[in-house]
Amino acid sequence: MFNRNEIFETISMIEQENLDIRTITMGISLRDCASESSLNSRRRIYEKITRYAEKLVRTGEDIEREFGIPIINKRISVTPISMVAESSDELDYARFAETLDQAAKAVGVNFIGGFSALVHKGYTKGDRALVRALPEALANTERVCASVNVATTKAGINMDAVRDMGLTIREAARLTADRGAIACAKLVVFANVPEDNPFMAGAFHGVGEPECVINVGVSGPGVVANAVKRTKGADFGVVSEAIKKTAFKITRMGQLVAQEASQRLNVPFGIVDLSLAPTPAVGDSVAYILEAMGLEKCGGPGTTAALALLNDAVKKGGVMASSYVGGLSGAFIPVSEDAGMIAAVQCGALTLEKLEAMTCVCSVGLDMIAVPGDTSAATISAIIADEVAIGMVNQKTTAVRLIPAPGTVVGDVVEFGGLLGSGPVMKVNPFSAEEFIARGGRIPAPLHSLKN
Amino acid sequence: MRAVITVLGCDRVGIIAGVTAVLAESGTNILDISQTLMGEIFTMIMMVDATVDCRELQEKLSAKGKELGVEIRLQREDIFQSMHRI
């Protein structure tokens, strides 16, 4: 029998500190859905997704009820569509996005990721068609998420793709100007993208993955923040220990849910992603953890060091609690999805440049950041270039999800709704990178990529 | 299925009787039970071995909880096991 404190600790983590399983994501390979005929290919895709994921949502709900732990999202990731659609006669890949959207609706998942392309060294025919279709695909669908990997430590940075992504983001914003440029919130530009990430919008089912797999993303910034608060005045060794213990407990729960889902769906268990993913709910904020360590506001001096400690302790605590760890695994700092980050931006404590520095020590990058509507494509590309350079050189994943909502200026707030929250429009450095971005070509891989 | 039942709420006559009656009706065996008052708050933890469907028992308990003005949760034991035992 468990003692009273243990039982009530678990219940209070769930009820008062917003502990939840953020997502159960089913990865499905669509490699066998390619066809010369676009219609056939799309039919196969729809049929396969709806067959494999038929019981995903219900199974998630059953586990949620039986264990009494909320499972916020049930989602699907698929093989990058640029690869699946490439051999078809389709000219407009937005139609593949529509098929994914229909399949997602049919099985009741709120997001489906994998309208993606990996172009870190260059474009294939399919990659080019996919990138061209991105703005329309994201504007015309509700649940489809897209990602483009433009850099790796091994390959360097594809600056042509970086330039194209600046233009793509601008166009996606224009097409959804009436909806807070929501299309941009569903598009992530990556360096060193992981192939088993369960979190949206960057999830896709990598080519080295099995036929079908269950990946689970845990969460719990609120639980960690309270654990840190209880260490008030103690030194950092104590803080780190407190975070590790909490991360261990959270991850054990993730592992349990992952195994249970895998068994019930008869699909192999892939990984648990040890990320602290904030939500707009009060108390569910990564910024508040940093502030609980003694910072007046997230973004002030000391923030990067605090985040480095947090990120490291979460991994150290979590890694022992799961048999397979993967995905992004770290602390997320999406501005619009974190009440503490929003407040820090609004009071002037947190700037874009500080966020960039913070991404050097955590996952995942400049995430869910609203920038003024008149930010040029070249400036967006240059921000992407800076961020992926950090990923390339530091051999880590970095990503950019910027939202240049048309008509907005610094100080406005863009509403996305739901888990995506609302983003205060942040100031962007006004100096031009036009000529720099116009060069194109590739930035070579760093020396330390030559490991063999 | 082994599960943990927790009951929280204002103390009053008949909480244990009400909850155990539901369990007896559904053929659920109580393995362990501990009850205490934290100030005015009644708290009870039970370890049970249920033979009926989890959803059915949860629904019956939560209906009884409403009647008694207390909150009743039933969660599978595994969640506590995984969090607190290595």
Side-chain angles (χ1 to χ4, degrees), chain A residues 18-200:
Chain A
N18 299 312
L19 174 62
D20 55 47
I21 301 296
R22 184 51 46 84
T23 181
I24 297 183
T25 304
M26 177 182 269
I28 303 173
S29 168
L30 298 182
R31 276 158 58 180
D32 57 352
C33 297
S35 167
E36 280 178 20
S37 146
S38 162
L39 188 67
N40 276 346
S41 180
R42 285 183 284 121
R43 196 178 287 150
R44 284 181 196 168
I45 290 172
Y46 182 87
E47 191 276 327
K48 186 164 185 183
I49 293 172
T50 50
R51 181 158 45 90
Y52 276 46
E54 187 191 3
K55 293 183 186 151
L56 175 64
V57 172
R58 199 172 68 226
T59 304
E61 286 167 357
D62 284 348
I63 296 173
E64 184 170 4
R65 200 187 50 251
E66 287 174 29
F67 292 103
I69 170 92
I71 300 171
I72 309 299
N73 300 298
K74 294 90 189 171
R75 292 167 168 174
I76 295 170
S77 63
V78 296
T79 309
I81 289 296
S82 66
M83 298 178 191
V84 184
E86 193 155 29
S87 52
S88 77
D89 53 7
E90 185 60 64
L91 299 174
D92 179 12
Y93 281 19
R95 301 185 71 178
F96 279 89
E98 284 161 19
T99 303
L100 293 179
D101 206 36
Q102 285 156 7
K105 282 176 185 158
V107 296
V109 296
N110 60 355
F111 280 126
I112 182 164
F115 196 73
S116 306
L118 309 174
V119 300
H120 35 273
K121 220 163 177 183
Y123 289 108
T124 65
K125 186 170 72 85
D127 295 333
R128 203 173 284 287
L130 183 123
V131 169
R132 196 168 53 229
L134 276 170
E136 198 198 326
L138 293 172
N140 294 346
T141 58
E142 188 192 335
R143 305 183 188 200
V144 174
C145 290
S147 54
V148 178
N149 192 61
V150 297
T152 66
T153 301
K154 278 285 189 189
I157 305 174
N158 178 352
M159 289 298 289
D160 292 329
V162 168
R163 183 186 54 216
D164 293 343
M165 291 319 294
L167 295 163
T168 302
I169 290 169
R170 288 276 310 171
E171 179 62 6
R174 191 185 67 80
L175 292 180
T176 48
D178 56 336
R179 288 173 278 156
I182 189 79
C184 301
K186 297 182 285 178
L187 171 60
V188 193
V189 184
F190 273 108
N192 292 325
V193 67
E195 302 206 338
D196 53 5
N197 157 33
F199 287 100
M200 295 296 170

Side-chain angles (χ1 to χ4, degrees), chain A residues 4 6 10 66 252-253, chain B residues 43 76 82-85:
Chain A
R4 178 167 288 274
E6 289 170 336
T10 302
E66 287 174 29
R252 288 277 285 186
M253 208 177 281
Chain B
T43 68
R76 275 180 48 180
S82 72
M83 196 181 246
H84 299 289
R85 299 285 180 273

Side-chain angles (χ1 to χ4, degrees), chain A residues 27 38 71 105 113 156 189 206 220 253 257 289 297 303 327 329 351 379 387:
Chain A
S38 162
I71 300 171
K105 282 176 185 158
V189 184
M253 208 177 281
V257 168
I289 303 175
K297 269 286 166 203
T303 301
S329 286
T351 62
T379 296
E387 188 58 34

Side-chain angles (χ1 to χ4, degrees), chain A residues 1-2 4 6-11 13 15 62 65-68 249 252-253 256 260 264, chain B residues 4 6 32 34 36 43 45 47 54-55 58 73 75-85:
Chain A
M1 178 76 171
F2 308 97
R4 178 167 288 274
E6 289 170 336
I7 303 256
F8 284 113
E9 182 189 6
T10 302
I11 290 174
M13 278 179 171
E15 304 271 318
D62 284 348
R65 200 187 50 251
E66 287 174 29
F67 292 103
K249 289 178 182 171
R252 288 277 285 186
M253 208 177 281
L256 171 71
E260 195 70 27
R264 291 186 192 196
Chain B
V4 173
T6 46
D32 201 346
S34 102
T36 186
T43 68
I45 298 172
M47 175 72 85
C54 179
R55 180 195 293 256
Q58 276 174 331
R73 279 187 206 84
Q75 291 164 279
R76 275 180 48 180
E77 180 205 13
D78 319 37
I79 190 160
F80 301 99
Q81 192 79 36
S82 72
M83 196 181 246
H84 299 289
R85 299 285 180 273

